[in-house]
């Protein structure tokens, strides 16, 4: 599934579509929650920090994992190292959460952030 997101309303719609897709593919409630949280955090960062405030999101199930690919338009690569000094910190908390809940998290040369989340036991 591929969707372009330019507004928070579109983000909410995309999260509903993601949840429905994952449900159809046998994802656990925890897997759906983690996938939605990852997309929400990364797209929100892209909307705040990229020059256009837009992002392209793709997802697919690969076995017990959901592969999420998020590219801001134009590409915006998050910092290589995210530091979250405490739970009240506004800088780095979202990427810290994504790193903690995902199996993998990597940025390609073209700026696409690929996250894999375990959705099935």
């Amino acid at each position: 599934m591929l969707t372009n997101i330019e507004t928070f309303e579109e983000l909410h719609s995309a999260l509903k579509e993601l949840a429905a897709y994952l449900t159809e593919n046998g994802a656990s409630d925890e897997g759906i929650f983690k996938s939605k949280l990852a997309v929400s955090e990364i797209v929100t960062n892209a909307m705040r920090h990229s020059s256009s405030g837009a992002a392209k999101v793709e997802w697919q199930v690969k076995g017990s994992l959901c592969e999420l690919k998020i590219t801001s338009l134009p590409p915006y690569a998050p910092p290589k190292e995210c530091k979250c000094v405490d739970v009240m910190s506004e800088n780095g908390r979202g990427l810290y959460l994504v790193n903690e809940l995902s199996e993998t998290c990597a940025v390609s040369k073209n700026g696409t952030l690929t996250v894999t989340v375990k959705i099935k036991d």
Side-chain angles (χ1 to χ4, degrees), residues 5 7-15 39-40 43-44 47:
I5 301 171
T7 66
F8 286 106
E9 292 79 17
E10 291 173 342
L11 173 58
H12 290 282
S13 293
L15 294 174
V39 169
S40 179
V43 170
T44 298
M47 292 172 77

Side-chain angles (χ1 to χ4, degrees), residues 88-106:
M88 298 306 289
S89 176
E90 287 296 317
N91 294 322
R93 185 175 55 203
L95 290 175
Y96 173 81
L97 289 171
V98 170
N99 285 329
E100 289 300 307
L101 61 84
S102 64
E103 301 298 308
T104 63
C105 183

Side-chain angles (χ1 to χ4, degrees), residues 15-77:
L15 294 174
K16 288 179 186 177
E17 290 174 27
L18 173 60
Y21 173 81
L22 293 175
T23 298
E24 290 172 10
N25 284 276
S28 67
D29 289 342
E30 181 179 5
I32 294 169
F33 176 81
K34 287 179 177 182
S35 298
K36 288 173 57 179
L37 181 59
V39 169
S40 179
E41 290 294 334
I42 296 166
V43 170
T44 298
N45 277 352
M47 292 172 77
R48 287 184 180 157
H49 300 294
S50 71
S51 61
S52 72
K56 177 178 74 172
V57 180
E58 297 178 71
W59 56 75
Q60 65 178 322
V61 170
K62 292 184 171 184
S64 65
L65 300 174
C66 178
E67 181 181 77
L68 306 161
K69 291 185 177 188
I70 300 98
T71 307
S72 58
L73 306 170
Y76 160 80

